[in-house]
Amino acid sequence: MAEYDVDLDRIEESVPHGVTLSYPRTAISDLLEGIVGFFGRYSAGIWVILMLLIVGNVIMRYALGTNFVALEELQWHLFAVGFMVALSYCFTQDDHVRVDVAAELLGPRKRAVIELFGIAVFFIPFCGFILYYAWPFVERSWQMGEVSAAPGGLPMRWLIKSVILLAFTLMILAAVGRFFRVLSFLCGWPKPRGDNNKQ
């Protein structure tokens, strides 16, 4: 296998820093982001549990020669819950993936207008679309009392499917909070809060 000489310092220098804008906080954005933050912070513990579960499953499989279907399914479920709930928190912290190649060439106001448009026309409607179609999917699962099809699998499959509704509701809350922050940046309404140094 070929070896490559990679200069990480040069790569880091070539990455544009400070491209994202820091929008002012508002009362409504603080409320909505506080709700999202509550779920985001407490769902972080899922990753510790998931890591311990994976290690435990590996030890059982290779050291003891056994495994439990329910524990393997629990890994998938914990990963799904952790990932879906963390998406909204990631959005409020502005740590999601962005393609800023073109945006870094624009001024702050133009970038804010594009972000406002993107949230209102694409992001919130997409989350609403997912919620609209997920509702009957989750409702049917609840009505059936759906369980795993695998022998020895987890009961209450409807519970994991319900996380879809929670996750995309949190995404909408995060998006609306961000929308009001961008709007405040552009036109001063809603009124920015005093301490706007925090993202």
Side-chain angles (χ1 to χ4, degrees), residues 27-43 85 88-89 92 166 169-174:
I28 185 74
S29 71
D30 279 357
L31 173 66
L32 297 176
E33 290 175 3
I35 295 168
V36 172
F38 172 81
F39 284 94
R41 281 187 299 277
Y42 287 103
S43 69
V85 173
S88 55
Y89 183 72
T92 63
L166 172 65
T169 299
L170 290 173
M171 289 290 281
I172 288 175
L173 294 180

Side-chain angles (χ1 to χ4, degrees), residues 13 24-25 32 40-41 50 53 57 66-67 87 109 112 115 117 124-125 140 180 186-187:
E13 287 172 11
R25 294 168 48 232
L32 297 176
R41 281 187 299 277
L50 179 59
L53 183 61
N57 281 340
T66 187
N67 68 325
L87 282 174
R109 288 193 67 78
E115 183 155 4
F117 178 80
I124 293 175
R140 184 169 179 270
F180 281 115
L186 286 171
C187 63

Side-chain angles (χ1 to χ4, degrees), residues 75 118 145:
Q75 286 178 204

Side-chain angles (χ1 to χ4, degrees), residues 104-153:
E104 66 184 8
L105 303 175
L106 302 173
R109 288 193 67 78
K110 286 183 182 175
R111 287 168 47 201
V113 168
I114 291 169
E115 183 155 4
L116 197 73
F117 178 80
I119 290 170
V121 176
F122 297 110
F123 192 77
I124 293 175
F126 172 76
C127 293
F129 178 82
I130 296 292
L131 284 173
Y132 178 80
Y133 283 99
W135 182 264
F137 173 71
V138 174
E139 185 180 37
R140 184 169 179 270
S141 184
W142 273 75
Q143 289 169 347
M144 291 170 46
E146 187 177 3
V147 299
S148 172

Side-chain angles (χ1 to χ4, degrees), residues 85-108:
V85 173
L87 282 174
S88 55
Y89 183 72
C90 185
F91 186 77
T92 63
Q93 301 302 304
D94 204 22
D95 286 337
H96 54 290
V97 175
R98 288 176 168 272
V99 182
D100 285 328
V101 176
E104 66 184 8
L105 303 175
L106 302 173

Side-chain angles (χ1 to χ4, degrees), residues 2 7 17 29 86-87 118 120 165 168 173 196:
D7 186 351
H17 296 283
S29 71
L87 282 174
L165 300 178
F168 281 91
L173 294 180
N196 280 307

